[in-house]
Amino acid sequence: MNIKLLTFVFVLFSLNLFAQEKVSLDYSDVALVKVFQDIEEKFDIKFSYNSDLINNKTISLNIENATLDEILLILEEKATVVFRKQSRRYYTVKPRKTRITDTQQLQEVLIKEYLTTGISKKKDDASISLLPNKLGILPGLTEPDVLQSIQLLPGVQSPTETASGLYIRGGTPDQNLILWDGIKMYHSGHFFGTISAFNPYITEEIKLYKSGTRAKYGNRISGVIDITSDNDIPNKIEGGAGLNMTHADIYLKAPISNQAAIITSARRSITDIFDTETFRNLSKRVFQETKISEGNKVFEDDEVLTTKDVFNFRDFTIKALVKPNKNNQLSVSTLFTNNKLDYGFLIEEFDEASNDKLEITNQGSSLNWKHNFNNSFSHDFNAYYSKFDLEYVGGNSITDEFSDELRKLNTIDDFGFSYNTNLKLNEPTTLGVGYEFSSNKVNYGLSFTDSESPEEDFNESNENTNNTHALYLDYQYKRSNKWLLNAGLRTNYFSVLNQFFVEPRVQFETRLSSSLKYKVSGETLHQAVSQVVEFNTQEFGLEDQIWVLSEDGEIPVLKSKQFTSGFIFGKRGWNIDIEAYYKKINGLTSYTLGFEISDNFFSKGESEVFGMDVLIKKRIQNYRTWLSYSYVNNDFSFDYINSGEEFSGNSDITHQLTWSHTYEWNHFNVSLGWNIRTGIPYTKATGIIDTPDGPQIEYDEVNGARLPDYHRLDLSTTYTFNVSNKDNWKGKIGFSILNIYNKSNLLSRTYERRQGASNEDALREVNKSSIGITPNLLFRMDF
């Protein structure tokens, strides 16, 4: 697909639509009937309406050089009416029905339903907003999972079938900036990413940027996921608790006074108490082709005794909120997430014992102060501390023969602050200026001890700190719901490299008619901390990525440039959003992408991404259906891989189509979704050859083959009910099924050498499959 040609066609089409008659209007507290008469005369049209609809109504307008469609759109908002075109000259005028699920005015941002209730597109920037407490039912989800909900949007993919493994427009998960109340998150999933680590019941809003990123966001080159917890002080104590087949949760919102409140939540897995079908299926997918599933068997008939089987995850949050007056808001937030695994087994016949212990923690705190000096000038100050800890210990031993142990440690201490100012220069123009400081201390350690061969012992470690200083400017021009321009400039200084990096960003939107909008954006981004793949713990097979800082030579700074162009159409229940984009990423390495064929040598590379996101949605009363399609052509090129020729990216999903349906009837909600996509590329092995370094696997063309196409059908349904006559207590029962027809989809294919029956090396194909048919149940109470 030629993205440049497509963009050119878009521009030509928009220029054609510009060629409409335009006039200027200026009314100050003028009767609405007079305004209608003036517009009828200027455009030679006629309005038909009930006189009671506009009698005694006045309006103030100042519109320059606008078409009839643009004027009618503004009048619909100002006068709470709806215009319907009956012919070239005649329009009917009806009252506009206001529904909270359709449209509401919120801080001068017009919120409109994007996919379903609770998912909307912001009017003042390129972000998509998700409100978990208003989120409609989604396929396969009985609860509003913070990260899984995002995957229904075009341009967001998860090749690994996880909540936290989000690939946004060709970027990898570590290239996404994830914030929770301003705290940077380095691990965002539970149970190896299958569940997001954020409690949706105390989450107020999730803002997603796929492009058009504001200048205040920095040090990531792909998407931005900005999560904000509740900022409202409740009038009375509110709370709730729930239970599903993987975990239980509880939350409480307690007012201390009219100006202060405490909001807290907690979740914990129940898998060490109840062995559910849901958890068994998730475990089967996560642990397949690892020591935990194979039991380190040498022969198929080996009897393996489990000596330890501990797994749990938990998270909790506390937030103190103070609003002494309408011009000030102060909040202190704390988040703690933890995943723990301790597994051991014994093959009694050989007295061989093995154990794997893994613990991952991400915790942090933040302080935020917002202050309005007046209606034109405000500022906010945010300080945060985030700590990430990963520790793995794996051992294997046979009594009186050998004992070996592998340890891996990865820690990050990240703290910083930002100060943002916002000045409204005049009605259409706003200026924001800010400064951000952050300090990243990243530590990595890997050690191995072998009682049989001490000469093979090793102990590697690295510790480095990067201090980042950033100055940024955000300029916005917004005129009469017709023009929107966001221009930004961010300058970063990375101490670890002693270099400055400049990031210009621009987003432009214009309304071509009452139902059509054109948009275009461009941005440059940089990233100094990223994940690399290490193969020393590959026998365990989980969490084989570690965070490292950029340095001269082997780990360069990642750099991304992205250009987008598209249209948004909305009319009579139809919403169509089409956006084409081009993205180029420099600074990739064979370490950051974990090429198994590279034999751990170093090679620099880049990726070039052409893509298109399409969303088509139709609403008919309580029924909604939407089609989400993504086209991605992601090509890699590396100096010493594939002879320098381009090849498909490791997670390149060329086509992905999601077709979803939801229906609401009284207290019942049901949702059905079908997902089909292209299989990801893999490198096919042709056999084993002898080399001076011993037998090695011989591979064909890099990523020259593809896995079979992936498809899955998911279902979810919920029923809500009142427990008390006063509606103080509300209950909810939910049921979902993932992969209804139990399709076995391949997620990855690799190869390994195994000793055959004749003590010769044999090639083994290692396939990892998707989750099978998996039911889940939910019960919760809220008050």
Side-chain angles (χ1 to χ4, degrees):
M1 182 177 292
N2 192 325
I3 202 74
K4 295 180 180 178
L5 177 61
L6 181 61
T7 303
F8 181 66
V9 172
F10 280 167
V11 173
L12 284 182
F13 181 54
S14 67
L15 290 176
N16 180 61
L17 290 174
F18 275 134
Q20 301 181 33
E21 183 182 359
K22 298 181 179 181
V23 300
S24 296
L25 302 176
D26 188 6
Y27 306 114
S28 179
D29 200 23
V30 176
L32 190 56
V33 65
K34 296 288 186 183
V35 174
F36 277 16
Q37 292 171 355
D38 190 29
I39 294 174
E40 286 176 331
E41 182 179 346
K42 281 182 166 61
F43 289 97
D44 190 25
I45 61 173
K46 289 293 182 181
F47 293 126
S48 175
Y49 51 85
N50 187 326
S51 59
D52 292 337
L53 178 62
I54 63 173
N55 280 349
N56 303 318
K57 284 189 177 181
T58 60
I59 195 169
S60 297
L61 285 176
N62 186 349
I63 305 174
E64 297 179 1
N65 200 28
T67 65
L68 173 62
D69 286 340
E70 293 164 351
I71 293 170
L72 296 184
L73 182 68
I74 296 171
L75 281 174
E76 284 186 336
E77 294 181 23
K78 295 277 189 179
T80 321
V81 296
V82 176
F83 294 95
R84 292 285 181 260
K85 187 174 183 179
Q86 305 301 322
S87 66
R88 186 189 68 82
R89 292 189 63 225
Y90 289 93
Y91 291 77
T92 58
V93 187
K94 300 290 184 181
R96 188 177 69 188
K97 298 178 180 178
T98 56
R99 287 183 183 172
I100 192 68
T101 56
D102 289 334
T103 303
Q104 67 174 357
Q105 195 73 21
L106 178 62
Q107 295 178 351
E108 296 192 6
V109 178
L110 188 65
I111 301 294
K112 289 193 174 181
E113 186 178 289
Y114 189 60
L115 288 184
T116 183
T117 53
I119 302 180
S120 54
K121 201 169 184 72
K122 287 287 190 180
K123 186 181 177 182
D124 59 350
D125 61 17
S127 68
I128 296 173
S129 169
L130 291 88
L131 308 175
N133 63 334
K134 297 180 180 178
L135 194 62
I137 189 170
L138 297 174
L141 299 178
T142 54
E143 296 185 277
D145 187 283
V146 171
L147 298 182
Q148 286 182 336
S149 302
I150 294 174
Q151 297 178 24
L152 292 173
L153 300 168
V156 182
Q157 300 172 326
S158 179
T160 56
E161 250 187 4
T162 59
S164 59
L166 300 180
Y167 290 71
I168 299 178
R169 292 185 168 178
T172 55
D174 65 307
Q175 294 170 4
N176 298 324
L177 175 63
I178 301 179
L179 302 171
W180 187 87
D181 276 0
I183 303 169
K184 293 180 183 177
M185 301 300 299
Y186 293 90
H187 189 79
S188 56
H190 285 317
F191 195 20
F192 305 102
T194 57
I195 302 167
S196 65
F198 310 107
N199 192 325
Y201 297 105
I202 51 93
T203 299
E204 182 174 87
E205 182 184 25
I206 305 111
K207 289 181 69 174
L208 169 68
Y209 289 88
K210 295 185 292 182
S211 62
T213 313
R214 304 301 291 268
K216 70 176 183 178
Y217 298 108
N219 205 10
R220 293 294 190 276
I221 63 168
S222 193
V224 174
I225 303 171
D226 191 351
I227 306 168
T228 306
S229 65
D230 278 355
N231 275 317
D232 292 329
I233 296 176
N235 295 323
K236 59 181 181 179
I237 294 179
E238 300 175 4
L243 177 71
N244 61 29
M245 297 298 100
T246 58
H247 64 274
D249 81 274
I250 188 171
Y251 74 93
L252 186 68
K253 305 174 184 179
I256 299 174
S257 68
N258 293 332
Q259 290 83 33
I262 295 290
I263 302 170
T264 183
S265 72
R267 294 191 301 174
R268 191 190 187 281
S269 60
I270 61 170
T271 52
D272 49 356
I273 303 173
F274 302 107
D275 184 19
T276 66
E277 180 69 15
T278 306
F279 177 69
R280 285 195 295 270
N281 288 350
L282 288 173
S283 298
K284 184 178 178 181
R285 194 203 71 77
V286 168
F287 295 122
Q288 60 183 311
E289 297 296 340
T290 68
K291 284 201 301 181
I292 290 179
S293 63
E294 298 295 316
N296 214 28
K297 292 182 180 180
V298 178
F299 304 104
E300 288 296 326
D301 58 352
D302 284 342
E303 293 186 5
V304 178
L305 174 67
T306 301
T307 57
K308 285 184 179 180
D309 189 4
V310 176
F311 172 76
N312 59 67
F313 62 79
R314 55 190 170 137
D315 62 67
F316 66 82
T317 67
I318 300 176
K319 182 172 185 175
L321 183 63
V322 180
K323 294 183 178 181
N325 51 57
K326 66 178 183 179
N327 292 322
N328 286 279
Q329 176 178 301
L330 182 68
S331 64
V332 178
S333 302
T334 299
L335 170 73
F336 176 87
T337 71
N338 177 264
N339 287 261
K340 182 181 293 186
L341 172 72
D342 190 356
Y343 183 83
F345 57 84
L346 175 69
I347 303 178
E348 292 184 289
E349 182 178 355
F350 301 102
D351 198 23
E352 181 179 357
S354 181
N355 68 279
D356 290 285
K357 186 176 182 180
L358 175 67
E359 186 165 5
I360 304 173
T361 301
N362 201 160
Q363 57 187 314
S365 299
S366 66
L367 168 68
N368 183 265
W369 174 40
K370 296 180 179 180
H371 175 64
N372 297 321
F373 289 93
N374 49 51
N375 292 332
S376 300
F377 183 62
S378 64
H379 74 189
D380 66 86
F381 173 81
N382 182 78
Y384 74 92
Y385 171 73
S386 180
K387 184 172 179 61
F388 167 78
D389 285 287
L390 182 149
E391 184 175 8
Y392 167 75
V393 179
N396 198 39
S397 65
I398 295 180
T399 304
D400 299 328
E401 290 192 25
F402 74 89
S403 176
D404 56 44
E405 183 181 76
L406 178 69
R407 288 180 174 269
K408 180 169 70 172
L409 177 70
N410 191 199
T411 64
I412 299 176
D413 286 284
D414 185 351
F415 70 91
F417 63 89
S418 62
Y419 180 73
N420 309 292
T421 62
N422 192 70
L423 175 63
K424 191 171 184 178
L425 301 176
N426 49 49
E427 184 60 33
T429 308
T430 304
L431 184 67
V433 180
Y435 166 77
E436 181 182 30
F437 169 80
S438 64
S439 179
N440 258 0
K441 180 181 178 182
V442 182
N443 180 32
Y444 164 68
L446 184 70
S447 64
F448 177 74
T449 56
D450 187 341
S451 60
E452 286 188 305
S453 306
E455 67 279 1
E456 296 185 5
D457 291 358
F458 65 86
N459 191 335
E460 300 176 2
S461 63
N462 181 270
E463 182 178 301
N464 212 341
T465 300
N466 178 44
N467 294 324
T468 301
H469 300 269
L471 287 171
Y472 49 88
L473 172 71
D474 269 316
Y475 171 84
Q476 182 179 89
Y477 179 86
K478 185 170 60 174
R479 169 73 82 176
S480 301
N481 200 31
K482 177 185 175 182
W483 304 98
L484 173 64
L485 172 66
N486 285 318
L489 183 67
R490 183 183 177 97
T491 302
N492 299 305
Y493 170 76
F494 296 148
S495 68
V496 71
L497 299 170
N498 193 26
Q499 290 185 35
F500 286 92
F501 298 89
V502 180
E503 300 177 351
R505 309 176 188 186
V506 64
Q507 176 211 358
F508 173 73
E509 292 184 0
T510 183
R511 188 170 291 280
L512 306 178
S513 70
S514 61
S515 55
L516 186 64
K517 180 187 291 185
Y518 173 71
K519 55 183 178 177
V520 63
S521 69
E523 60 188 0
T524 299
L525 307 169
H526 297 84
Q527 181 171 336
V529 59
S530 58
Q531 287 184 313
V532 302
V533 177
E534 57 85 21
F535 292 101
N536 293 287
T537 52
Q538 60 183 339
E539 284 189 13
F540 179 54
L542 298 166
E543 301 298 339
D544 58 353
Q545 292 184 311
I546 58 170
W547 289 94
V548 297
L549 279 172
S550 297
E551 56 185 33
D552 289 330
E554 293 192 342
I555 310 295
V557 167
L558 290 168
K559 179 180 180 180
S560 169
K561 291 183 177 180
Q562 182 176 198
F563 173 79
T564 68
S565 179
F567 289 93
I568 299 176
F569 173 83
K571 190 172 185 179
R572 297 186 179 179
W574 285 97
N575 287 310
I576 302 175
D577 191 343
I578 303 176
E579 191 167 77
Y581 62 91
Y582 168 76
K583 178 190 282 188
K584 187 169 185 179
I585 300 175
N586 296 96
L588 300 177
T589 71
S590 54
Y591 293 160
T592 56
L593 294 169
F595 290 105
E596 296 191 48
I597 60 168
S598 66
D599 196 25
N600 214 28
F601 72 83
F602 176 74
S603 180
K604 288 184 180 180
E606 62 184 29
S607 73
E608 196 170 36
V609 186
F610 291 93
M612 174 173 281
D613 297 335
V614 180
L615 175 68
I616 302 174
K617 179 215 161 190
K618 174 65 175 176
R619 175 175 179 176
I620 305 173
Q621 295 181 346
N622 293 332
Y623 168 71
R624 301 172 181 84
T625 182
W626 66 86
L627 205 64
S628 169
Y629 169 74
S630 294
Y631 167 82
V632 181
N633 181 21
N634 187 2
D635 289 332
F636 286 170
S637 57
F638 280 78
D639 297 336
Y640 306 114
I641 298 178
N642 202 44
S643 303
E645 299 293 325
E646 285 188 349
F647 58 94
S648 296
N650 290 358
S651 300
D652 178 59
I653 298 176
T654 309
H655 304 281
Q656 177 164 325
L657 179 71
T658 302
W659 189 16
S660 303
H661 311 263
T662 67
Y663 182 73
E664 301 172 5
W665 179 67
N666 292 335
H667 297 286
F668 283 96
N669 291 272
V670 63
S671 182
L672 186 70
W674 188 55
N675 186 341
I676 181 170
R677 69 185 190 216
T678 308
I680 66 170
Y682 74 97
T683 304
K684 190 174 183 179
T686 58
I688 296 178
I689 58 174
D690 290 324
T691 69
D693 297 324
Q696 299 289 336
I697 299 176
E698 185 178 33
Y699 289 94
D700 204 344
E701 180 185 354
V702 177
N703 287 349
R706 280 190 179 268
L707 298 177
D709 291 344
Y710 173 107
H711 55 91
R712 195 178 91 182
L713 182 67
D714 300 330
L715 169 73
S716 59
T717 181
T718 61
Y719 173 72
T720 58
F721 56 93
N722 294 326
V723 178
S724 65
N725 294 330
K726 296 182 179 180
D727 296 343
N728 292 333
W729 287 81
K730 295 184 178 182
K732 182 179 180 181
I733 300 172
F735 172 69
S736 68
I737 302 179
L738 299 177
N739 198 359
I740 291 176
Y741 49 79
N742 202 26
K743 175 69 168 65
S744 179
N745 295 294
L746 287 181
L747 299 178
S748 69
R749 175 174 289 165
T750 56
Y751 299 88
E752 66 179 15
R753 288 187 294 118
R754 281 284 180 96
Q755 193 177 62
S758 58
N759 291 327
E760 295 182 355
D761 284 327
L763 184 66
R764 179 175 179 264
E765 185 179 86
V766 180
N767 292 317
K768 291 191 175 182
S769 301
S770 65
I771 193 169
I773 181 171
T774 303
N776 198 356
L777 294 172
L778 165 73
F779 176 77
R780 67 175 304 106
M781 297 291 296
D782 297 279
F783 62 90

